[in-house]
Amino acid sequence: MMNTNNLLSRIEALLFVAGDEGMTVKQLAQYIEVEPMDIEAGLSELLSHYNEEEMRGITLKQLAGTYQLTTKPEITDTLKKLIENPTNQVLTAASLEVLAIIAYKQPITRAEVEDLRGVKSERPIATLVSRALVQEVGRAEGTGRAILYGTTKEFLNYFGLKNIKELPPLPEEVDQEDDQPTDLFLTKFQETFNQN
Amino acid sequence: MSYEVKLDAFSGPLDLLLHLIHRLEIDIYDIPMAELTEQYIDHIHAMQTLELNEASEYLVMAATLLAIKSRMLIPINENEIDAEELEIDEVDPREELVARLIEYKKYKEAAVQLQELETERGQVFTKAPADLSEFMPEEQLALFDQNVNVYDMLSAFQKLMRRKQLKKPLSTRIARQEISVKEQMRSVVSILKNAGGRVMFSQLFEAEDKPMLVLTFLTLLELMKRQVIFVEQQNNFDDLSVLLTKEEINDEYEQLTEPN
């Protein structure tokens, strides 16, 4: 068993070399020749170092199932100066809408997406495929064997997610002003009860 | 009532309806059909720039609204129907529309959440992996997965574009002349030959301008299709490796035909 500092420095060096491809716990364990649980302990220790020490410009992030070294969000203003046109890459409202439907309802066909949106969605889907955010994940049963779409690893990376389970929960249905039929009876009952 | 409408502001008839419901402060579970239908049709009239394609979707919704409105006007004569029919008739004609609006609204809100994540992620940068291929022993280079498909290619290209964002050219570029896929095929093949038949995917994308990057990407797809090159995926990092197929190493790429 190597000492902690030795282990942390090796993890850091491997993640530095791996860049935006990142490395999984399994890969790190394999290269350093220690147990995966040692790697996990090392990663969380490394993370607290990065976050506690303000002089560090990098931190550790779990993206699409891998660990990567990333810059800290608080120094983005300096880094943005390196980018020519930071706004040219963001998704349009239509693309985001289609992507949300695919992300939460995958696998899903184009026709199903269009039914839900009430509008043709060929173009947004083509955009999302070309940006590697969604891809074909199979074919639907029945006539036509329509393409089924699902999200990709790049999707997780693009939105900064560890895995698909980390998607924020789907927003709740519209709040009703106590007018559900079942509740109506109860409310009436409650009112009558309170009056007596 | 004059109300400025930009069609671009709506991503379809359901979106427009939600906008109206919000603006008129309507309870979505008790929609005054007459008012909503009137407002909706006014809006469509205002959208004079509707493309035929989109217009049809908006018009179908207008017809749906009118149908619901008229069904709600039909009086129910209670004496003439038995209980069973009453059950059927008691279904609110608005029910299906409301269900669709609520379902759509959920995903519209989910899209806003995604946009917030997108902004947050945009504050954080990563770097390209170090290219260690030149230090790799031959046997490790042989550990390649042959299953690279067009989605893997797109995904590699996306990563590349992201990395390019962080590399601002240090000098102003003089406008380059148009280069065709045909010419670019020659140069990719010659790069490969000089490198002994194998280079990493990212090494083929030295240019800084987007048209050139896209051109190179299309060229690779074309060369793959013609089986001049094949692309493999490495095990340790996900970077792709581009290889010249054996036959092509013998000078026959001077006589290229124009890709169709």
Side-chain angles (χ1 to χ4, degrees):
Chain A
M1 181 66 217
M2 61 177 69
N3 75 47
T4 310
N5 283 344
N6 193 337
L7 173 70
L8 296 191
S9 63
R10 280 163 203 267
I11 294 176
E12 186 181 53
L14 281 173
L15 292 178
F16 169 75
V17 168
D20 63 7
E21 299 291 358
M23 280 204 183
T24 61
V25 170
K26 195 171 141 211
Q27 284 172 314
L28 289 164
Q30 204 180 326
Y31 291 125
I32 304 177
E33 294 174 347
V34 292
E35 293 301 314
M37 56 184 286
D38 300 327
I39 296 292
E40 279 165 22
L43 284 165
S44 67
E45 196 165 339
L46 212 46
L47 178 64
S48 49
H49 276 295
Y50 289 139
N51 291 347
E52 282 160 27
E53 295 165 22
E54 280 182 37
M55 61 166 195
R56 309 303 294 263
I58 53 172
T59 183
L60 190 60
K61 214 168 158 49
Q62 217 184 328
L63 288 167
T66 66
Y67 285 87
Q68 300 182 19
L69 293 179
T70 73
T71 60
K72 284 185 175 172
E74 43 277 33
I75 49 177
T76 186
D77 54 341
T78 301
L79 296 171
K80 282 264 156 85
K81 291 177 185 147
L82 294 169
I83 297 176
E84 275 181 287
N85 37 4
T87 52
N88 77 341
Q89 285 280 47
V90 294
L91 295 167
T92 63
S95 293
L96 279 164
E97 215 173 87
V98 170
L99 188 53
I101 295 170
I102 293 173
Y104 287 94
K105 293 186 78 101
Q106 58 186 313
I108 185 171
T109 65
R110 193 182 86 205
E112 288 168 317
V113 171
E114 290 174 344
D115 278 348
L116 210 158
R117 294 184 72 222
V119 77
K120 288 257 179 295
S121 305
E122 217 160 340
R123 230 177 299 172
I125 289 181
T127 304
L128 294 170
V129 169
S130 75
R131 304 238 351 222
L133 297 167
V134 306
Q135 66 176 46
E136 182 181 331
V137 292
R139 296 280 175 153
E141 295 293 316
T143 45
R145 315 267 294 127
I147 295 177
L148 289 164
Y149 292 98
T151 53
T152 60
K153 250 184 146 158
E154 170 66 16
F155 167 85
L156 297 173
N157 192 343
Y158 187 82
F159 291 101
L161 301 167
K162 290 177 203 169
N163 53 46
I164 197 74
K165 291 192 200 81
E166 234 211 330
L167 266 184
L170 200 55
E172 280 308 302
E173 308 226 332
V174 192
D175 289 333
Q176 302 188 34
E177 294 157 32
D178 80 356
D179 52 2
Q180 276 199 329
T182 47
D183 287 352
L184 198 63
F185 171 74
L186 282 175
T187 327
K188 283 262 184 279
F189 177 77
Q190 200 67 40
E191 280 170 10
T192 327
F193 187 78
N194 290 344
Q195 279 166 3
N196 298 339
Chain B
M1 164 177 190
S2 73
Y3 183 72
E4 281 296 306
V5 193
K6 286 218 293 280
L7 176 65
D8 299 353
F10 301 108
S11 49
L14 289 171
D15 198 22
L16 172 54
L17 281 176
L18 281 181
H19 166 80
L20 292 174
I21 285 167
H22 180 74
R23 198 168 57 86
L24 301 170
E25 293 174 350
I26 288 173
D27 174 5
I28 199 166
Y29 290 97
D30 187 15
I31 298 175
M33 288 312 296
E35 186 184 10
L36 186 65
T37 306
E38 188 189 348
Q39 289 280 342
Y40 180 87
I41 289 171
D42 279 353
H43 268 69
I44 299 187
H45 281 310
M47 295 179 183
Q48 287 169 351
T49 50
L50 271 183
E51 287 175 44
L52 198 59
N53 212 346
E54 284 167 329
S56 67
E57 288 157 351
Y58 283 92
L59 293 174
V60 167
M61 181 55 77
T64 307
L65 293 175
L66 289 166
I68 295 173
K69 186 177 136 187
S70 59
R71 265 167 61 203
M72 290 182 71
L73 294 173
I74 298 170
I76 299 172
N77 187 341
E78 303 218 1
N79 304 336
E80 288 181 20
I81 43 178
D82 55 29
E84 202 179 311
E85 268 185 71
L86 193 66
E87 294 254 315
I88 298 161
D89 267 77
E90 269 192 353
V91 172
D92 191 324
R94 297 170 296 181
E95 199 169 323
E96 196 192 333
L97 176 68
V98 171
R100 283 187 72 193
L101 281 168
I102 287 168
E103 180 77 351
Y104 171 71
K105 191 169 191 251
K106 270 198 301 199
Y107 291 98
K108 198 172 149 58
E109 282 164 9
V112 174
Q113 290 181 338
L114 283 183
Q115 194 164 29
E116 285 160 9
L117 290 177
E118 178 186 47
T119 309
E120 219 172 290
R121 177 66 176 90
Q123 312 287 309
V124 164
F125 299 96
T126 48
K127 61 177 261 308
D131 181 7
L132 300 175
S133 57
E134 58 179 301
F135 306 109
M136 268 185 212
E138 278 301 318
E139 63 269 23
Q140 199 168 348
L141 279 175
L143 292 175
F144 278 95
D145 169 14
Q146 301 275 356
N147 292 329
V148 172
N149 63 26
V150 74
Y151 292 112
D152 298 324
M153 295 283 287
L154 280 167
S155 165
F157 187 61
Q158 271 316 311
K159 273 183 190 144
L160 199 101
M161 296 297 275
R162 209 181 8 247
R163 291 168 193 163
K164 289 284 176 195
Q165 275 200 305
L166 269 180
K167 289 190 191 169
K168 203 171 179 174
L170 296 175
S171 57
T172 323
R173 176 177 304 281
I174 299 158
R176 67 165 65 237
Q177 59 194 64
E178 290 284 302
I179 296 183
S180 67
V181 170
K182 180 179 163 183
E183 289 168 66
Q184 191 62 4
M185 286 206 281
R186 277 214 195 89
S187 84
V188 166
V189 171
S190 79
I191 290 172
L192 274 159
K193 277 184 187 163
N194 295 337
R198 170 198 286 277
V199 295
M200 299 313 276
F201 181 82
S202 46
Q203 284 172 277
L204 293 167
F205 294 84
E206 295 298 333
E208 294 298 341
D209 57 321
K210 202 166 173 178
M212 193 64 195
L213 296 171
V214 173
L215 176 73
T216 305
F217 184 69
L218 292 174
T219 301
L220 288 181
L221 291 180
E222 183 64 32
L223 289 169
M224 278 170 90
K225 197 175 90 184
R226 296 168 176 234
Q227 303 192 326
V228 176
I229 59 168
F230 63 100
V231 178
E232 293 179 326
Q233 190 149 30
Q234 225 164 333
N235 283 335
N236 58 353
F237 305 150
D238 280 336
D239 201 4
L240 303 177
S241 221
V242 182
L243 291 87
L244 209 52
T245 52
K246 294 268 186 297
E247 307 77 70
E248 301 303 336
I249 299 177
N250 321 324
D251 262 354
E252 59 180 84
Y253 236 71
E254 305 312 310
Q255 309 301 322
L256 267 183
T257 45
E258 198 64 63
N260 30 21

